[in-house]
Amino acid sequence: MATGKTGPLSREELKLIEAYWRAANYLSVGQIYLLDNPLLREPLKAEHVKPRLLGHWGTTPGLNLIYAHMNRAIRARDLDAIYITGPGHGGPGLVANAYLEGTYSEVYSGIGQDETGLRKLFRQFSFPGGIPSHVAPETPGSIHEGGELGYALSHAFGAAFDNPDLVVCCVVGDGEAETGPLAASWHSNKFLDPAIDGAVLPILHLNEFKIANPTVLARISPEELDQLLSGYGYRPITVEITDPDDHDAAHQAFAAALDQALDAIAKIQKTARAQQRKDGPEGVERPAWPMIVLRSPKGWTGPKEVDGKRTEGNWRAHQVPLSGLHENPAHLHQLEEWMRSYQPEELFDAAGALRPELAALAPEGDRRMGANPHANGGLLLRDLDMPDFRYYEVDAAGHGVTTSEATRVLGGFLRDVMAKNVKHRNFRVVGPDETASNRLSALFEATGRSWMAEAKPDDDAALAHDGRVMEILSEHTCQGWLEGYLLTGRHGFFSCYEAFIHIVDSMFNQHAKWLKTTRHIPWRRPIASLNYLLTSHVWRQDHNGFSHQDPGFIDHVVNKKADVIRVYLPPDANTLLSVADHCLRSRHYVNVIVAGKQPALNWLSMDEAILHCTRGIGIWEWASTDSGQDPDVVLGCAGDTPTLETLAAVAILRESWPDLRIRVVNVVDLMRLQDDTEHPHGLSDREFDALFTRDKPIVFAYHGYPWLIHRLTYRRTNHDNLHVRGYKEEGTTTTPFDMVMLNDLDRYHLVIDVIDRVPGLADRGAHLRQEMLDSRLRARAYTREHGDDLPEIKDWVWPYA
Amino acid sequence: MATGKTGPLSREELKLIEAYWRAANYLSVGQIYLLDNPLLREPLKAEHVKPRLLGHWGTTPGLNLIYAHMNRAIRARDLDAIYITGPGHGGPGLVANAYLEGTYSEVYSGIGQDETGLRKLFRQFSFPGGIPSHVAPETPGSIHEGGELGYALSHAFGAAFDNPDLVVCCVVGDGEAETGPLAASWHSNKFLDPAIDGAVLPILHLNEFKIANPTVLARISPEELDQLLSGYGYRPITVEITDPDDHDAAHQAFAAALDQALDAIAKIQKTARAQQRKDGPEGVERPAWPMIVLRSPKGWTGPKEVDGKRTEGNWRAHQVPLSGLHENPAHLHQLEEWMRSYQPEELFDAAGALRPELAALAPEGDRRMGANPHANGGLLLRDLDMPDFRYYEVDAAGHGVTTSEATRVLGGFLRDVMAKNVKHRNFRVVGPDETASNRLSALFEATGRSWMAEAKPDDDAALAHDGRVMEILSEHTCQGWLEGYLLTGRHGFFSCYEAFIHIVDSMFNQHAKWLKTTRHIPWRRPIASLNYLLTSHVWRQDHNGFSHQDPGFIDHVVNKKADVIRVYLPPDANTLLSVADHCLRSRHYVNVIVAGKQPALNWLSMDEAILHCTRGIGIWEWASTDSGQDPDVVLGCAGDTPTLETLAAVAILRESWPDLRIRVVNVVDLMRLQDDTEHPHGLSDREFDALFTRDKPIVFAYHGYPWLIHRLTYRRTNHDNLHVRGYKEEGTTTTPFDMVMLNDLDRYHLVIDVIDRVPGLADRGAHLRQEMLDSRLRARAYTREHGDDLPEIKDWVWPYA
């Protein structure tokens, strides 16, 4: 612990860094409070103060202190560094620093380095038509909003992977530290290779309070905290601010700690890189990385007391410590005193620009943390070197005769995507220990499983320090890593059991919001899409049953803005290849691909698959019997299992009634169902009607909850004739066909649906209807006796190939 | 670390406990593999083996060992204990143990203690029509499925709160330990009071492997692990199985560790309870609780090798170590050898019953972990002692004139619910540090904020060891605690920012699945509902902006089975009181209540509110002008902000066109919109048509994503005339009215919607339409200039009160 007055800073440096910090604090308070009079060149009046005070002061001074000291370290060491603000609601601090270093005025030319600029800077904050109160996409230098807490550290590690020269300074609030995702992500250090990756410097900022409560980590003993962080694999360096008014001591202590940490990082990297050159990748040892614990008062340098109640160093400083300024002259006066305590006249010149000796403290050009291109990853993004996906075609031998495991086929393609880009170090695959289970093991022919912890001889051979498949049993950590990796300009792929992707629902929300917002920020460049493969899906969770059966992530995703989300349900291996190729080339979307891993029929040749995927939806003429005429019934399907059951139903209908005009419509790109006014992929009404008719019955078999199809199509002309089958929350550990029967998605039930809906079939179909009911009973009885599906169902192939 | 052969067990005890463990392992393997020949009384043939092998062996022997030793401890100490199986996919082990102790045959009379019973026991496992492969609701003694990993420890703590005599043995797998929710929940020990709560004994089971990868905690150094767990506040006792074949040593070591841990728990509790008697609740110190780290081979006692590859002690043992038994006689032979290695003939008598000397090892009656009533909480559930919610009525003084902060009013009611039940110790409120922010602070007049970590003089005064409001900045931990508390027969309430409840989407899924399944298990009794209050909602996240704006949890919830979910959108304080009262009295639902915390108009008197909530949906005649006639237009609304905007629109319309017949329909119970065939609260078509007409335009203002209203109503006669406004993912830090304008939910836009949809208004309404557009521009301009809403909007009241 370093708390003495002596330290690495000279008297002059001390004075300057203190002034810089004062400037950042001054600008932070100004943003929260002021509409006008930004330099306090006249006495503060109520009319200068915003009518609604929205923002968070408590965490801000600590963030500002760290930023100022990072600036010094960047200059001293020529560091390539970015700053991740876990407590993202400390937005005014990060805006202030981007402004002080000049970045802000460069990207927002209206906010200049003068009094007018300051007035605008203050006014716009948390103001209608202005900027949000958090470290949002609008904030230069940020890849992390920090509005929803828990992801700072996983984002930081994601940014550091494959950026060997980058230092990611990551402030973790002690509130955030209580969240599950954050608690898990400390272990990311078991996946970061000091030889090939950059460094993360976690700064655990203990300011003792959340909104109202103390924080857990600030209120366990220092010894326990030290054990906890050491157990996580770090060497904590503690800086404790014992006297909030002794700023010299604070600066010296923090500067010393930062130097110590950065020295340790440099030494670790040097050692590891020498080891790697000497002994190869596996010669590198997992180091104990340094980190800093900063114990500083909440609302530091703010009002000591408000209305007789302790405020600095207390939870009362969390948001806006002084309120009611329009009615309370004493509070107004206290605000003025508080702001003047930073001595703005010493910080800004006559025009309102930061004095040159202070401006000189900031790094230059891209070294400024607000301007670092890693924090605007689209600037650095290069296309993946892609193999030709058509090469991985499986032989469909017509339609519905041969079988493939779709994700295994995809694995071969991903292997070669990986292999072609290993040298670029810009592609990683993440997943919660499911890459092999999801049958993507071919990837391990091109790379290893990332692992810096202890390995043993009997382990899976793929474990490797420089592995580019990253597996930890934490969907949160996987998602956080991937987001950090994408946001810094690289590519990635997340494979997950379908049901458990809900674990990251809220992280997806925040990422989608980030993408949506950045579409409207011209200086932010588009990043690579976040690609999900959801497999081991609801219909084939044979080992695990009901807890593993939930197809609702799609419903969750489609609530977000249409311009950032895409959903694909490729029905077989060749379509999966085509979709995956498209997604890996795309930009600035979240792509959700749902596909099975079990052996399943191949419906389309590669040429057919490409055409079908390009259209996103289409009539399968080889399966249909309407010969381009008006059909009697449309059978729609989306998803591999629903497609199988639909085709099997079609076969029964064709066998029974060769004259029935059936049209089969398969949907790969779910958003095609929506209106073209709602989603850019949406069909026009004319196109939709051409596929689904304006008046014929539609029996639609869908992978997920059936009502989603209604929600996407309720405006369509023929919606009243649309009947959807899907998952209705019935499941258990059972056979595949029993699963579809439990949810009335089976072929027999689809035939019944047709009989019940096509006019004129009621009488003619009575016999077939009964036969279908009997078939269901027979299938269920067989399954309950033999524990397996009927051979005729398991071995069924399309009879008209 | 205890690994020697000597230990607390006598030679006879050793022999018996080993036999009991063998029996549990034998039954576990039998469940995974056998259809018939359960006692191996004839040579094993392929036909005795299931055609599909579904289950997880790897974790099971460890679970069985712990269960057997817990049985011994329960008998020796007369413990009241339950068993939480983090690795819930070790289902066969828990079923085996419930069978061995007799519970299973009591609740499932078809599964008797004889060869026939064994055959059925084996056959039903992971078999169509049988039981799931996990520790599911069907498993006696379980309150935890463990299918989705991460919640074992928070469930365990939830069970232990307010159960001073209960010991919750909680096995945490080393896979699960990598998840975020689990990593956070270790800190639950800062919220458990040894004087008034029971004890959790965490057993971290390190079997080194997940599905394919090693686990992080097994592959950091033992010193790091020890630091980590010590840092979490525990005193780990490690048992390491160095020789998997030396069972005597294993039993002695584990028995010694368990004795040591239980002695430590007893001592902690005795000391704390003495302290409490002497010095009051705050005199108790937070202890360092014992825990056990069990390092044992994955697939212990299973095949050492399969096809020349190491299996025992390897990831290959995760699921079914031997497969293809119908085609591979060598595997079949190996299975028989494996099963015979447990010597079933020594374990079961001629009839197939467990031998009496082994049966005598299990505890008796309710002391059996499978029969412990805490694991079937509905048995213990008692109604809350409820105050009369009508007492908290706010004076509406007519309609829409006075204002209240609805959640603050609710706080008064909750305070008295708390106060009346403090003595019963059966009601807790959880939340992520938002109870005060959500304006429920009145609760602190009746109880404290639970806090066992260090407290300081300047802390919020409510911190208290025995506080019944539980706040940690982890929605996962809050949810896990509450589920554990409810599942053991108590009541609770979760208040949360609306947007961040998505963090527990997946936990909600699992709880809803549990509730759905238990409705069909006769011996499981209904438990109290899980009540969510979602506030600080999308329309009023003034401080935080876009990242805090997401109303989609409702969409997520309604995907689950209609018989377990309920959604309420009370428009004001009195309706919120009525709804909350109803929810706290209800059973076996998930109730979602969405209500604002900001000052808002009161629409209904208490009598009106009760009537309205009882109906769940209704015409507000005092606001309507259709006088019971056919209206020209129906204005529907659900949620407080949409109700305000709708009524303001109605006022404009009434002012402009007194002759327009307007009907206002307000929806409190969202499920009323659905069909009565889809949801038990659904309206019949006749009822729906009576409210919304069969052919008149409906302009519906909804709190959340608008398409949910379409999904709920697409089958209704008048659906084609339904036009819904809601949140369309537009937001930022801005004023309340700017938020509704951004999403076209504002009063002016609703008036335009009416003009555009009511036949005949196009011409007559042209002027008003333009006025509305002008009003929007004026409102926006004012807001951008003044940073606040127009006074006429902020101060608007219903003019016809």
Side-chain angles (χ1 to χ4, degrees), chain A residues 513-590:
Chain A
K513 282 173 182 277
W514 183 281
L515 293 178
K516 182 248 181 192
T517 303
T518 52
R519 279 200 179 270
H520 306 286
I521 300 176
W523 58 268
R524 287 248 178 219
R525 307 304 309 144
I527 60 170
S529 299
L530 196 167
N531 301 304
Y532 291 108
L533 171 68
L534 307 186
T535 182
S536 303
H537 63 50
V538 55
W539 302 109
R540 296 304 303 273
Q541 261 296 350
D542 311 2
H543 269 269
N544 293 298
F546 196 40
S547 66
H548 287 50
Q549 292 161 348
D550 187 300
F553 187 66
I554 300 173
D555 304 61
H556 180 68
V557 163
V558 300
N559 271 343
K560 288 288 165 281
K561 275 286 176 187
D563 54 358
V564 298
I565 61 106
R566 301 288 182 266
V567 181
Y568 300 98
L569 295 147
D572 69 356
N574 288 330
T575 48
L576 175 60
L577 286 167
S578 175
V579 163
D581 178 76
H582 175 76
C583 293
L584 286 171
R585 292 171 187 273
S586 73
R587 292 284 182 277
H588 223 71
Y589 298 135
V590 176

Side-chain angles (χ1 to χ4, degrees), chain B residues 439-493:
Chain B
R439 308 195 183 175
L440 302 173
S441 304
L443 273 163
F444 301 124
E445 298 164 24
T447 188
R449 300 178 194 269
S450 167
W451 189 254
M452 285 296 301
E454 189 194 357
K456 293 188 180 176
D458 278 325
D459 288 344
D460 182 272
L463 294 188
H465 285 184
D466 60 355
R468 312 186 68 73
V469 174
M470 312 202 60
E471 301 192 297
I472 186 170
L473 212 166
S474 165
E475 286 80 358
H476 293 112
T477 307
C478 290
Q479 171 92 12
W481 286 345
L482 180 55
E483 289 179 4
Y485 200 67
L486 299 176
L487 287 159
T488 49
R490 283 81 62 81
H491 302 264
F493 194 86

Side-chain angles (χ1 to χ4, degrees), chain B residues 81-92:
Chain B
I82 64 172
Y83 191 108
I84 292 199
T85 315
H89 54 280

Side-chain angles (χ1 to χ4, degrees), chain A residues 133 213 471 505 543 559 707, chain B residues 133 213 471 505 543 559 707:
Chain A
S133 64
N213 281 282
E471 302 192 297
D505 272 4
H543 269 269
N559 271 343
W707 30 85
Chain B
S133 65
N213 281 281
E471 301 192 297
D505 272 5
H543 269 269
N559 272 343
W707 31 85

